[in-house]
Amino acid sequence: RAKSEGRGRACIFVPEDEQRTLHRVNIESMIRESLLEGHFELHYQPVVSMGHQMIVGAEALVRLRHPERGLMAPGEFIDIAEETGLIVQLGEWVLEEGLRQLSIWHREHASAIYLSINVSGKQLQDYRFVRTLENLLSRYRIRPGYLILEITESMLMHHTDHTLEVMNRLKRLGCLLSIDDFGTGYSSLSYLQKFPLDILKIDRSFVTDIESNKTHRALVTAIITMSRSLNLRVICEGIETAQQMEILKGMRCQMGQGYHFSKPLPAHQFTTQYLPGSYQATSAS
Ligand code: C2E
Ligand code: MG
Ligand code: MG
Ligand code: MG
């Protein structure tokens, strides 16, 4: 019956639906091709400690450098990667490329920075994810404590028993877990407690108007207080002005990220702008 319904619906397709389908199919094949051709790249955005304004880490953000369409942000392809399941393959590439880069930073710049990587709920539903990660960590000789895996609040809300079990395994492996875009999914404190989280990232939408929006100021203050009681470190994302930074610092937010500090940058640019010069083996005692 489902089949005949589907056929019936196809008959009343309006051009707009066709265009949307065409768009999806195009993006899907673009993702497949880009995985084969190596057109994906990672950009890195500094994560800064609010107290000292020192760089403590970087978030890896995927980009697609298309031969004709130029540099594409994840907003143009990540949802379709998610829906088609291609996110699992793309996510593995991101993990490998990010850890490869991190091992270079740790080795050649003696820089003990953290790397945050975004992972999708689909990746976390698969036990094999833990094995893959374990292999990559040992191949690149990365201490797991320098890797932060970010999972969005909305993904966590659609978790399964597997997701929770995989998160516990990742935690036992020594990785840090972070909840991303917090505040947009309406989860409660007691709900958060069942996940083995280390870091909470407050969504950009609360930071954007923090100077003028009293409700958002009260919310961010409450989230930071709550995080302390849960032993979670806090990162505020989307800090664009010095004033926003000062307000958040006053609220004792520990870390920040945003255009005020830096946009996401290609690896070589991140290296030259934010990391100390090449590590000299002779200077080590
Ligand atoms: P996110 O993880 O919340 O990443 C932060 C996004 O905010 C990034 O957008 C970043 O470029 C942007 N941003 C940072 N600071 C500012 C600021 O001060 N102002 C404004 N307006 N924006 C700022 P981007 O790179 O377009 O990524 C969008 C989303 O795509 C990410 O949100 C993340 O959810 C997803 N994403 C990115 N890379 C990956 C990946 O490798 N895997 C997965 N599964 N998702 C990814
Ligand atoms: Mg993120
Ligand atoms: Mg975020
Ligand atoms: Mg986001």
Side-chain angles (χ1 to χ4, degrees):
R1 191 150 67 103
K3 214 170 191 174
S4 66
E5 263 175 26
R7 226 176 261 147
R9 232 184 268 139
C11 295
I12 55 156
F13 248 19
V14 293
E16 203 179 311
D17 290 328
E18 280 176 6
Q19 248 174 32
R20 202 171 301 144
T21 307
L22 192 65
H23 174 74
R24 276 179 44 103
V25 171
N26 279 338
I27 298 283
E28 181 180 346
S29 57
M30 185 187 293
I31 297 169
R32 286 185 197 282
E33 193 182 287
S34 301
L35 282 165
L36 288 171
E37 305 282 327
H39 289 161
F40 285 105
E41 56 185 73
L42 292 182
H43 285 196
Y44 299 88
Q45 185 175 40
V47 179
V48 173
S49 82
M50 299 289 260
H52 306 89
Q53 311 274 290
M54 301 259 287
I55 183 162
V56 292
E59 177 173 8
L61 295 157
V62 73
R63 303 285 182 262
L64 199 169
R65 194 173 292 279
H66 193 267
E68 283 118 45
R69 300 179 57 167
L71 195 66
M72 297 169 72
E76 296 186 68
F77 57 82
I78 210 86
D79 285 351
I80 291 167
E82 188 75 42
E83 288 162 28
T84 53
L86 284 167
I87 193 75
V88 172
Q89 212 186 325
L90 176 58
E92 243 180 76
W93 179 84
V94 168
L95 213 51
E96 165 138 32
E97 176 59 16
L99 291 178
R100 190 189 63 79
Q101 184 60 61
L102 186 65
S103 74
I104 295 173
W105 285 335
H106 282 181
R107 196 174 62 240
E108 290 179 12
H109 299 272
S111 180
I113 60 167
Y114 292 87
L115 183 70
S116 297
I117 289 185
N118 296 286
V119 294
S120 112
K122 281 233 169 81
Q123 288 174 275
L124 288 187
Q125 269 160 31
D126 194 344
Y127 286 132
R128 278 173 304 182
F129 181 72
V130 185
R131 278 291 289 279
T132 306
L133 184 60
E134 242 175 332
N135 289 337
L136 288 172
L137 286 167
S138 74
R139 183 180 320 155
Y140 293 105
R141 299 173 194 278
I142 305 277
R143 272 176 286 167
Y146 285 105
L147 176 65
I148 301 168
L149 299 169
E150 297 191 357
I151 305 128
T152 63
E153 185 188 20
S154 54
M155 297 252 183
L156 271 194
M157 289 177 77
H158 296 108
H159 79 284
T160 63
D161 289 346
H162 280 285
T163 317
L164 189 56
E165 175 55 22
V166 168
M167 286 177 79
N168 284 321
R169 289 188 191 192
L170 293 169
K171 189 70 204 147
R172 283 198 294 275
L173 192 61
C175 298
L176 302 177
L177 299 176
S178 171
I179 181 164
D180 202 356
D181 300 348
F182 184 77
T184 55
Y186 310 102
S187 27
S188 64
L189 187 144
S190 58
Y191 184 75
L192 277 192
Q193 269 176 319
K194 69 177 184 185
F195 300 103
L197 297 167
D198 302 280
I199 295 163
L200 181 149
K201 289 184 90 164
I202 298 179
D203 191 66
R204 183 170 83 223
S205 56
F206 298 94
V207 175
T208 305
D209 59 356
I210 197 131
E211 301 104 321
S212 59
N213 188 325
K214 264 190 189 166
T215 311
H216 282 178
R217 274 203 299 276
L219 268 168
V220 172
T221 306
I223 294 170
I224 293 174
T225 309
M226 171 196 90
S227 301
R228 282 185 190 280
S229 72
L230 288 174
N231 257 321
L232 296 172
R233 276 172 281 169
V234 176
I235 303 179
C236 277
E237 46 179 32
I239 302 174
E240 293 185 355
T241 68
Q243 200 189 350
Q244 289 167 355
M245 185 200 66
E246 288 303 332
I247 293 171
L248 293 164
K249 210 167 135 180
M251 293 174 174
R252 301 181 61 210
C253 167
Q254 291 120 318
M255 290 169 278
Q257 220 180 313
Y259 297 167
H260 173 63
F261 305 108
S262 170
K263 291 200 169 189
L265 302 169
H268 62 95
Q269 219 171 320
F270 181 95
T271 308
T272 51
Q273 280 187 36
Y274 293 103
L275 298 183
S278 280
Y279 178 62
Q280 301 295 312
T282 48
S283 69
S285 52

